[in-house]
Amino acid sequence: MTTPFQISRRSFLRRCSATAAATGLPLWFVTRELEVAAQEAAAAKAPVAANDRPNLAQIGCGGMGSGDAQGASRKADIVAVCDVDENHAKALAARLARGGKSPAVYTDFRKLLERSDVQAVINSTPDHWHTLINLAAAKAKKDVYSQKPLTLTLDEGRHVVKAVRDNKIVLQTGSQQRSDRRFRMACELVRNGRIGKLHTVRVFVPAGLVGGPFNTAPVPAGLNWDFWQGQTPNVPYVKERCHANFRWWWEYAAGPISDWGAHHNDIARWGIGLDGPVAVEGKAVTKPVPGGYNTPSEFEAVFTWPNGVKHIAKTTLDDTPYGGIINQNGQRNGVKFEGSEGWIWVNRGTLDASKDEIYTTPLPASATRLEVSNDHLQNFLDCVKSRKDPIAHVEVGHRSASIGHLAGIAVRLGRALQWDPEKEIFTGEGAAEANPLRAREMRKPYDLSFIA
Ligand SMILES: NC(=O)c1ccc[n+]([C@@H]2O[C@H](COP(=O)([O-])OP(=O)(O)OC[C@H]3O[C@@H](n4cnc5c(N)ncnc54)[C@H](O)[C@@H]3O)[C@@H](O)[C@H]2O)c1
């Protein structure tokens, strides 16, 4: 008897060859997906019906949220959208309208979460809103695709992990590099000793913005500025604090450390294969302009991992095989793994190594292989059905966001700190100063009682 999978084996192999050609990755690496697909097909209880589209809701309809919702609308029905800026919510609803039907518009996520027809939400709000919305969604038993970094503080992470586990919801963090073959291959090669003993990981992220001082302005019509600020201190409206630029302020994010840093430090952690570092030191390389963006546009952080690996995260592209050359995306970013027998460099467009054999030689059958996902949203939707953990599940999101938070605290204090990744507390010298920064005071009414 032949299964549908066996029938399509030849075309699958053809697809693997095309993928290998398109990505420049070796065929031995890509064809493993054949085995994985066969295992998944065998494990699937029933074929997925063509009209088996879940109902989703989009919370946060700005730059990323619009992209997330439009991407998801190819695989699911977006039945509701929500934004504290009504203009954004209405614009996205209009863009998602099909056949005279458009998603319902909300300005308070708590109302949206009352809908019984919503299975899962996509949370693309600024970082300072991720946690309360994710906690409320978990309580309402909605699965969540939450943008990175998963949290604003170290302390929020444990709350989110507990809520996801207690309520048995599926949470995917929007760290989509985990669903990119190049990053998976780099991490698999590192984990299997292909560059010898790993000793250094260098993470390069684009610098943040320098700007200011900024003027206050009247709050634009349709924006609920108080709600937008949420848990953060109430300040007069400044355009440059709000949409898109929130990431350059400590109140709402942590600058480049937690923006691009959330992506590449996640890959560093994937390659290292451990929960968290045991020490961190940080410094601001540039000084923010008084009255302007208050996170340093340039920073340097050095982490020490329990296995002795040094992990250096910074905004200057030295020590890479590319010198100061900007990559094809026009962005200075990437991850370089260095071992006793060579190096591997990876970013969204490139995988390179000190010698070709590092990646052209197939890994042995006994090698440690990482989970396969080539489509981050599809991986989430599959897990919504299977109830399995997605590739960037809640603990992954929390632990990887923690790297940025640790760097942020070290940069703010400008000192070296010791971290206990098991207890998730600072220890030793400086701990008394650093431990209170694990959490932030939440402005009322936007504390836990807001979602009680
Ligand atoms: N995965 C990626 O590659 C990637 C890329 C860009 C941004 N992001 C992440 O996506 C998130 C959003 O970033 P952005 O660039 O789209 O920002 P943005 O400012 O363009 O959009 C955020 C939207 O959320 C809305 N919002 C704020 N508080 C809200 C609340 N309580 N309820 C509902 N809506 C609320 C804002 O009004 C705004 O429309 C950030 O966490 C960012 O780190 C991820």
Side-chain angles (χ1 to χ4, degrees):
M1 198 179 97
T2 55
T3 66
F5 183 76
Q6 284 163 336
I7 292 164
S8 64
R9 189 181 168 86
R10 196 182 303 161
S11 72
F12 197 100
L13 274 172
R14 257 203 314 271
R15 232 173 38 227
C16 287
S17 306
T19 303
T23 58
L25 297 178
L27 193 60
W28 71 262
F29 177 75
V30 176
T31 46
R32 171 168 172 253
E33 289 162 26
L34 186 65
E35 288 157 40
V36 174
Q39 283 159 12
E40 281 170 3
K45 288 195 183 77
V48 175
N51 63 353
D52 197 1
R53 288 164 65 90
N55 282 348
L56 303 190
Q58 176 67 44
I59 305 178
C61 308
M64 195 62 203
S66 300
D68 282 339
Q70 287 178 97
S73 68
R74 289 186 212 110
K75 301 167 188 278
D77 292 323
I78 313 288
V79 296
V81 298
C82 172
D83 201 298
V84 295
D85 186 337
E86 206 178 357
N87 309 306
H88 283 191
K90 284 182 174 164
L92 181 59
R95 245 174 278 149
L96 294 170
R98 301 275 182 283
K101 260 181 83 179
S102 57
V105 171
Y106 292 81
T107 51
D108 186 332
F109 65 89
R110 296 171 302 177
K111 283 274 160 229
L112 181 152
L113 290 173
E114 285 171 9
R115 287 178 69 125
S116 58
D117 63 340
V118 170
Q119 274 170 275
V121 299
I122 303 176
N123 180 358
S124 315
T125 56
D127 307 7
H128 65 282
W129 263 112
H130 290 174
T131 292
L132 276 190
I133 293 172
N134 292 341
L135 292 177
K139 231 168 113 191
K141 310 282 184 204
K142 315 287 187 203
D143 297 325
V144 180
Y145 183 104
S146 174
Q147 268 311 334
K148 50 51 65 174
L150 188 58
T151 53
L152 181 69
T153 66
L154 290 160
D155 181 64
E156 285 183 356
R158 271 295 133 219
H159 288 284
V160 180
V161 171
K162 184 170 181 327
V164 166
R165 296 306 182 208
D166 287 355
N167 291 288
K168 299 188 172 31
I169 65 148
V170 169
L171 184 145
Q172 172 86 299
T173 313
S175 297
Q176 72 270 19
Q177 292 185 168
R178 291 232 173 186
S179 296
D180 177 323
R181 289 184 179 90
R182 279 190 191 86
F183 291 103
R184 170 160 49 89
M185 183 171 176
C187 292
E188 274 186 359
L189 293 171
V190 169
R191 292 260 198 119
N192 286 286
R194 204 34 88 70
I195 54 169
K197 190 169 167 11
L198 178 70
H199 54 73
T200 308
V201 184
R202 297 180 197 277
V203 161
F204 303 93
V205 299
L209 288 191
V210 182
F214 301 119
N215 295 322
T216 60
V219 178
L223 169 68
N224 185 338
W225 175 235
D226 186 63
F227 204 155
W228 187 97
Q229 292 179 93
Q231 62 164 297
T232 69
N234 187 15
V235 296
Y237 176 75
V238 168
K239 183 171 160 278
E240 291 80 3
R241 280 182 175 267
C242 193
H243 300 323
N245 286 325
F246 66 85
R247 44 181 47 80
W248 315 125
W249 301 84
W250 286 120
E251 292 87 327
Y252 322 118
I257 300 167
S258 64
D259 193 44
W260 262 94
H263 286 303
H264 285 337
N265 286 320
D266 176 54
I267 295 304
R269 207 175 71 75
W270 206 18
I272 294 168
L274 295 171
D275 283 342
V278 289
V280 57
E281 34 189 307
K283 67 169 192 227
V285 175
T286 51
K287 270 205 184 137
V289 180
Y293 300 123
N294 57 15
T295 58
S297 73
E298 300 266 333
F299 75 97
E300 236 181 270
V302 182
F303 308 89
T304 308
W305 288 74
N307 56 1
V309 168
K310 284 267 177 245
H311 162 184
I312 303 152
K314 56 188 192 176
T315 39
T316 42
L317 198 72
D318 51 2
D319 306 313
T320 78
Y322 304 103
I325 298 170
I326 292 173
N327 72 23
Q328 63 263 51
N329 304 322
Q331 291 164 324
R332 302 185 303 163
N333 71 80
V335 184
K336 188 181 175 214
F337 294 99
E338 296 173 5
S340 53
E341 289 163 40
W343 53 257
I344 295 173
W345 161 265
V346 65
N347 68 13
R348 291 185 189 177
T350 329
L351 186 140
D352 200 358
S354 48
K355 43 184 191 287
D356 290 355
E357 302 82 83
I358 286 177
Y359 56 86
T360 54
T361 311
L363 283 169
S366 59
T368 302
R369 304 308 296 261
L370 297 172
E371 187 182 338
V372 174
S373 162
N374 294 318
D375 180 333
H376 211 54
L377 177 73
Q378 188 60 53
N379 175 258
F380 170 63
L381 296 176
D382 290 346
C383 292
V384 166
K385 280 207 196 79
S386 68
R387 310 311 296 164
K388 286 190 189 147
D389 255 345
I391 191 155
H393 59 74
V394 66
E395 185 78 29
V396 169
H398 161 53
R399 291 292 187 168
S400 292
S402 296
I403 307 273
H405 300 327
L406 290 173
I409 292 170
V411 165
R412 290 181 91 170
L413 297 179
R415 60 164 307 150
L417 297 162
Q418 286 159 5
W419 175 247
D420 179 337
E422 216 172 290
K423 297 199 179 98
E424 299 187 66
I425 51 167
F426 292 98
T427 58
E429 236 180 89
E433 254 182 298
N435 275 323
L437 301 180
R438 285 180 309 159
R440 298 189 194 182
E441 198 178 321
M442 298 173 103
R443 178 172 67 96
K444 280 194 180 299
Y446 304 101
D447 56 6
L448 289 173
S449 66
F450 192 66
I451 53 160

